[in-house]
Amino acid sequence: MEATQTQAQRQSVHETHHEQGPGFLRQYIFSTDHKIIGLQYAVTALCFLLIGFFLMCLMSWSKAYDMAAVPVLGPLLETLLGNAAAEGKISPDLYNSFGAMHGTIMVFLAIVPMVFAAFGNYIVPLQIGAVDMAFPRINMASYQFYFLGGVVMLTSFFIPNGAAQAGWTSYSPLATVIETDGQTFWLIGMVLLITSSLLGAVNFIATIIQLRAPGMTWMRMPWFVWVQFVTAFLLLLAFPPLEVAALMQLMDKLVGTSFFLPTGMALTSGEFATAESAAASGGGSALLYQHLFWFLGHPEVYVLILPAMGIVAEVISNHARRPLWGYRTLVYSVLAVGFLSFIVWAHHMYLTGMGTFISAFFQTTTIIISIPSVVILTCLFITLWGGSIRINTPPMLFALAFLPMFGIGGLTGLPLAFNFADLHLHDTYYVIAHFHYVVAPGTIFGLMAGIYFWYPKVTGRLMNDYWGKVHFWASLLFMNIVFMPMFYQGMKGMIRRQHDGGAGYSSARNPDGIGGLDDTVMEFNTVILMGALMLGLAQIPFILNFFLSLKYGEKAASDNPWRATTLDWQTPTPPPHGNFRQPPEVVRGPYDYSLPGAKEDFVPQNQPA
Amino acid sequence: MEIPYVTQPRRDTGLYNAKVGIWLFLASEVMLFGGLFASYIMLRVGAPEGTWPTDLLDVPIGTINTVVLILSSVTVVLAWSALKLKNFKQYRRFQAVTILCAVTFIVIKSFEYREKFTHYDVVLVTGERVDGHLKERGEDEQGEEYLVLSHPVSYPAVNGIAYRPEAVREQKKSGQIDADRRIAQSEVKSIKNWSPAANTYFAIYFTMTALHALHVIAGALVIAWIWGPGASLWKTDPERYINRVEVSGLFWHFVDLVWIFLFPVLYLL
Amino acid sequence: MSGHSPEEVQLEKKRYLTVFYILLVGTVVTVAAYFVELPWQALTVLVALIIASVKGFFVAGYFMHLMDEKKLIYVVMGFTFFFFLGLLLLTIWAWADTPISSW
Ligand code: HEM
Ligand SMILES: [Cu+2]
């Protein structure tokens, strides 16, 4: 037994050596090191973030200047996408494609891979004092599935009739009967992405359960790790029903079943089909699709926000030089959020004609879930109280701005939670504004805070402070210019997913109609377009800063430039394969800042008393 | 530094990594098949009166396949036990039976699929409806196409009603067999085969069993890999090898478990 | 996980065989119930599901040795099962509580 043990050790040492050996491919492309995989995720996800943003600009253009040729980019669009962009104009179909793909790319290819997979991969093993993820090869496979899914999604733009057009939610029957193979691509892409997420989730949970360093008890884990833990469970258990829905919709599209088509068969397949068989097909259920989708959909929105909250918590505690206030409360809150998010999903379906009892049920759970969310926000605010705040650094600015921005997003969710108010607001720009406040100035600010914060750990250099602040203030301003008007538009009744931005319902175009959209509503479309373009410009300092700092950035003074307590900062910079100089031993909680009597204002988790 | 608890259990959890991993994976599988079962129920309760056929699958064959899977499950655990007793030969023998069972299951299943795809449901111009197994298809001397159905079942065609009425089903259940039926092209009003597109019941039947069959194939491949090319690990690190057998076994039992529910739900109810 | 001592393993093997026979009997009973006329459809469904659940219990409990597992796994599978029930029952409830009966 002993003998075989050492033999095994020797063998795996041998393996590690093999992996460490040179060779660009093994080291950077087919790496199994969690840090490299994290970076792969980050780079890919940031590219997708840019693509998604770009699609949004085109949509904004279409909404403000319906059927006008896109300036500058028009000819390029026409060459790339052919007829759908004839004369450089965005056709309604193309607008629908952009809309569907903007949502899909942002949610499944940009934000989740960034805040969950990228940050999670890089930071979580470091913070719990592990040498790597529990299953490095599965980790690699997870990235590869993700990459493949992204390729499939992007390819669909260039097939005849273009990409999927039925929104990121892909409701049947529309998604099934719509005339494009883009939907098939979308479904296959989703199956790949779901597979990737499932593999990632298994890996994260197993890592956190099994590979915590000695002394890293559950209640000594940084809150960020807790958050990733809950997020992984959300992905693990909520994604499979969507996979079911995707497979069933795929069957509807490809083999002519009618799972989600109430009136009969989808395809009258070849020589054997008649009207009779359709009548006898046993009907499908369009609402079944919605249930399966939103069973994922709602947990998914917490997948989007929780990791960002985790990042913000780390940054705030560090920059306020104070322990996170109410650590235990935060832990229980995030567990509660995770649990509850599985039983609120039908608040997206109030308008489907659900009965009053079931509506009341989902209304209740939805209101209940906002309690732990508010508790989390409150704890983060109180952490600031009496801290010696280092306010003027990019990570802290982004983290601080996250709080009110997420606050706006969350609070505007409450009216939506009430069945009677939602009947008015559902499918209007109000909903768009609600969730974008949570995801854009919320999650994206969170992830920006994370990038500025951990950049010196990854590269050994700091990003430029001045340009970071320019990036921050400009982003904050233009984010609000883009999204604030949408609340107004929505409350005035402007419906989402219209390529003309509601012009068809405007009072200008229907002078005799009642309740048409007034001029202000319509003018806001232009404001939003301008805001979006400026927001795009505001990212240029970031992009340049990101790349130039690799080479010219100020060298980080030490391995721990922010003087942080968690284990990720107690590694060499950048952390080598295996991460730590010596296996760390954790002896204290994660946020020992400003301990009375301590020599410094922070005490790392592995520093003995 | 290397990843700990690959072989030995961690003290506080009492588990080694792969075991945590497989159970997490199985949790997601529960949700996957759970979603399918939920869909099945919703589709069934939502189906309009008379459109959900029953008793169309071959129960004896389904029973045989159930037994095959149960047998494979027990050989998996027996193989694991044999390994724990360091009896590699016996392990190999048991696990060979497992793999054989998996192959048998898939072969039987594909015959069943074929059987359904070649089963035709014909509405005649006379208002009669005949369904039966396609035995022959061709042209007669006049150049008219015809087909011959074996084991035909015949009943009046009622619009909106799918498949055999109750009384006919009972007859069929008792094992009565009618003579072959020849149908000429000119008699046919409409015709379709029992493919996924035929009916929502067949749609969900094929979807669920196909997904399950994919799991059978995947599980069998993994077990076969461990059994064959992966067996060198037994010499270098037997503990880890035993763990692999355990983990692949857990997956295999889950696949069996799913079938235990699929069988009554799809074949008997 | 049960221990590795030869006696325990021998005992285990016996138990596996017993479970095997139980599963076979369960299968026979299920199929038999199919051929027997039961007074209501609901009863048929109930009987079939109960037998399947019993069989499932034996597979999960003994073959997957869930009867004797670590707490962590119980917790994970417990939550999973709960969420599965949530998906199933809330969807059914939503369907049943929809005033317009056809979806
Ligand atoms: C905290 C309390 C929250 C409440 C009460 C709430 C409530 C709601 C409700 C009721 C809807 C459906 C509106 C409709 O379609 O008519 C909705 C939509 C949405 N929410 Fe929230 N929400 C909250 C937080 C969040 C968070 C944290 C996110 C995360 C990113 C989020 C993202 C979304 C998204 C993406 C949609 C729209 C989905 C779509 O139809 O495309 N919400 N919210
Ligand atoms: Cu929601």
Side-chain angles (χ1 to χ4, degrees), chain B residues 60-118:
Chain B
I61 286 200
T63 314
I64 292 174
N65 251 352
T66 310
V67 173
V68 167
L69 271 198
I70 292 176
L71 178 66
S72 74
S73 248
V74 75
T75 52
V76 164
V77 276
L78 289 177
W80 183 49
S81 293
L83 258 197
K84 285 196 284 192
L85 295 176
K86 308 254 178 297
N87 191 340
F88 189 73
K89 267 217 181 102
Q90 201 184 35
Y91 151 78
R92 272 250 164 112
R93 254 178 280 140
F94 276 130
Q95 213 65 320
V97 177
T98 309
I99 297 164
L100 230 80
C101 283
V103 174
T104 314
F105 181 90
I106 292 297
V107 169
I108 292 182
K109 198 80 219 150
S110 18
F111 274 106
E112 243 189 307
Y113 270 24
R114 203 187 109 84
E115 176 86 21
K116 290 291 163 280
F117 280 126
T118 53

Side-chain angles (χ1 to χ4, degrees), chain B residues 66-67 70 256-257 259-261 263-264, chain C residues 19 22-28 30-31 48-61 63:
Chain B
T66 310
V67 173
I70 292 176
D256 183 22
L257 193 73
W259 182 258
I260 284 179
F261 283 93
F263 173 58
Chain C
V19 172
I22 293 174
L23 291 176
L24 286 186
V25 172
T27 309
V28 172
T30 323
V31 177
L49 287 186
I50 287 177
I51 300 172
S53 304
V54 170
K55 286 167 72 183
F57 166 79
F58 278 103
V59 171
F63 285 176

Side-chain angles (χ1 to χ4, degrees), chain A residues 1 4-5 7-9 11-12 16 131-136 198 202 205-206 209-212 233 236-237 240-241 243-244 247-248 251 255-259 265 269 271-274 276-277 279-285 288 292 295 578 580 583, chain B residues 1-5 8 10 12-13 15-18 20-21 24-25 27-28 31-32 35-36 39 42-43 47-48 51 120 123 137 159-163 189-193 196-201 203-204 206-207 211 233 235-239:
Chain A
M1 180 82 190
T4 51
Q5 182 70 15
Q7 208 169 19
Q9 254 163 20
Q11 198 197 358
S12 55
T16 12
V131 292
D132 204 321
M133 295 290 258
F135 311 113
L198 290 178
V202 168
I205 301 172
I209 290 176
Q210 290 288 97
L211 301 192
R212 279 168 293 125
F233 264 107
L236 185 76
L237 300 180
E243 188 154 24
V244 169
L247 289 174
M248 284 164 66
M251 294 281 287
V255 288
T257 59
S258 51
F259 285 121
M265 294 196 298
S269 59
E271 54 183 311
F272 300 120
T274 65
E276 239 128 318
S277 56
S281 88
S285 162
L288 177 61
L292 293 173
F295 186 82
F580 294 90
Chain B
M1 278 189 275
E2 59 172 312
I3 298 165
Y5 314 121
Q8 295 303 323
R10 184 183 159 108
D12 55 354
T13 59
L15 299 163
Y16 56 90
N17 296 345
V20 177
L24 290 168
F25 182 68
S28 88
M31 294 308 288
L32 183 77
L36 274 171
S39 303
M42 298 320 297
L43 290 168
T51 58
Y120 284 83
V123 176
R137 195 172 189 178
N159 215 353
I161 296 290
Y163 309 100
K189 188 164 154 218
S190 72
I191 179 168
K192 65 180 173 179
N193 65 340
N199 174 284
T200 301
Y201 165 73
I204 193 91
F206 279 110
T207 309
L211 204 63
L233 187 68
K235 303 231 169 54
T236 52
D237 190 351
E239 284 285 300

Side-chain angles (χ1 to χ4, degrees), chain A residues 209 237 241 262 285 287-288 291 295 339 342-343 345 353 355-358 361-362, chain C residues 72 76 79-80 82-84 86-88 90-91 93-95 97-100 103:
Chain A
I209 290 176
L237 300 180
S285 162
L287 284 192
L288 177 61
H291 279 294
F295 186 82
F339 179 81
F342 281 100
I343 48 173
W345 78 83
T356 44
F357 284 112
I358 186 77
F361 173 85
F362 281 110
Chain C
L72 184 87
V76 170
F79 275 108
T80 306
F82 180 84
F83 292 139
F84 160 62
L87 171 63
L88 182 65
L90 289 175
T91 313
W93 187 15
W95 174 79
D97 194 29
T98 301
I100 304 157
W103 277 23

Side-chain angles (χ1 to χ4, degrees), chain A residues 397-398 445 466-482 530-542:
Chain A
L397 287 172
F398 275 108
F445 276 15
Y466 176 77
W467 289 108
K469 283 178 218 161
V470 170
H471 173 217
F472 166 73
W473 287 110
S475 296
L476 182 66
L477 178 67
F478 294 120
M479 280 281 188
N480 282 287
I481 290 182
V482 171
M530 294 307 159
L533 296 178
M534 297 303 286
L535 184 60
L537 288 184
Q539 305 313 304
I540 290 175
F542 168 71

Side-chain angles (χ1 to χ4, degrees), chain A residues 232-477:
Chain A
F233 264 107
L234 295 183
L235 289 173
L236 185 76
L237 300 180
F239 250 137
L242 180 67
E243 188 154 24
V244 169
L247 289 174
M248 284 164 66
Q249 202 178 72
L250 206 58
M251 294 281 287
D252 279 1
K253 272 206 98 79
L254 294 183
V255 288
T257 59
S258 51
F259 285 121
F260 301 135
L261 301 172
T263 46
M265 294 196 298
L267 299 178
T268 41
S269 59
E271 54 183 311
F272 300 120
T274 65
E276 239 128 318
S277 56
S281 88
S285 162
L287 284 192
L288 177 61
Y289 178 85
Q290 296 195 18
H291 279 294
L292 293 173
F293 183 89
W294 287 115
F295 186 82
L296 162 86
H298 190 85
E300 178 76 13
V301 305
Y302 280 94
V303 169
L304 296 173
I305 195 68
L306 289 181
M309 286 176 163
I311 295 171
V312 167
E314 297 299 308
V315 173
I316 282 187
S317 170
N318 173 274
H319 279 65
R321 317 306 293 166
R322 277 203 66 192
L324 216 45
W325 194 88
Y327 170 78
R328 273 172 187 271
T329 313
L330 281 168
V331 170
Y332 295 133
S333 295
V334 73
L335 290 174
V337 165
F339 179 81
L340 287 168
S341 68
F342 281 100
I343 48 173
V344 299
W345 78 83
H347 63 214
H348 296 272
M349 299 168 60
Y350 287 141
L351 234 66
T352 58
M354 282 191 313
T356 44
F357 284 112
I358 186 77
S359 288
F361 173 85
F362 281 110
Q363 180 170 307
T364 314
T365 52
T366 306
I367 298 301
I368 294 175
I369 200 177
S370 62
I371 297 171
S373 315
V374 170
V375 169
I376 291 173
L377 209 57
T378 312
C379 285
L380 295 180
F381 267 118
I382 300 180
T383 303
L384 294 168
W385 185 299
S388 44
I389 300 175
R390 318 275 192 267
I391 195 168
N392 215 4
T393 73
M396 186 58 166
L397 287 172
F398 275 108
L400 286 179
F402 170 91
L403 302 176
M405 292 297 114
F406 171 73
I408 295 176
L411 289 179
T412 53
L414 290 179
L416 297 175
F418 291 103
N419 179 3
F420 54 85
D422 186 59
L423 296 187
H424 176 62
L425 295 170
H426 179 68
D427 262 353
T428 67
Y429 262 76
Y430 182 93
V431 175
I432 306 280
H434 152 66
F435 71 77
H436 280 93
Y437 258 98
V438 191
V439 185
T443 303
I444 292 185
F445 276 15
L447 78 86
M448 286 300 171
I451 291 176
Y452 283 102
F453 187 59
W454 275 296
Y455 194 89
K457 177 49 61 188
V458 178
T459 63
R461 289 171 190 272
L462 291 152
M463 282 173 81
N464 183 290
D465 219 40
Y466 176 77
W467 289 108
K469 283 178 218 161
V470 170
H471 173 217
F472 166 73
W473 287 110
S475 296
L476 182 66
L477 178 67

